[in-house]
Amino acid sequence: SINADPGEEADYRIEVTNSDSGSCQARTFNLSAELPAGQWTAFFGKNSFQLSPGGKQITNVRIKSPTNATQPSTNRTTI
């Protein structure tokens, strides 16, 4: 977990692995974020990529909270 004050950004590093068996074809992964209501935003370094079975991709996502977010506030973001 990462703590950020209202209006600040929090950066996360994400590693995605295609765990399909070797006999499967490559798969396209599309990343998105389910954010709390309000002016929350998510910016992905790379939000869509294709991976062969066993392949890995590392990307970053930056979540920005609105300036009017209340403290203390615990909001879960699903990526």
Side-chain angles (χ1 to χ4, degrees):
S1 84
I2 297 175
N3 296 321
D5 290 325
E8 289 188 349
E9 299 172 343
D11 293 317
Y12 297 87
R13 179 177 175 219
I14 301 169
E15 181 177 290
V16 178
T17 303
N18 181 346
S19 57
D20 287 345
S21 68
S23 62
C24 294
Q25 293 186 3
R27 179 187 298 241
T28 299
F29 291 81
N30 297 301
L31 304 182
S32 63
E34 291 181 19
L35 300 169
Q39 297 175 342
W40 293 76
T41 56
F43 301 98
F44 289 89
K46 190 169 187 180
N47 66 344
S48 182
F49 42 85
Q50 192 173 55
L51 294 175
S52 297
K56 295 182 182 184
Q57 174 73 47
I58 296 173
T59 190
N60 295 312
V61 62
R62 176 171 286 165
I63 307 294
K64 184 173 182 182
S65 63
T67 56
N68 63 350
T70 58
Q71 278 188 306
S73 175
T74 301
N75 286 297
R76 182 175 303 261
T77 300
T78 303
I79 299 173

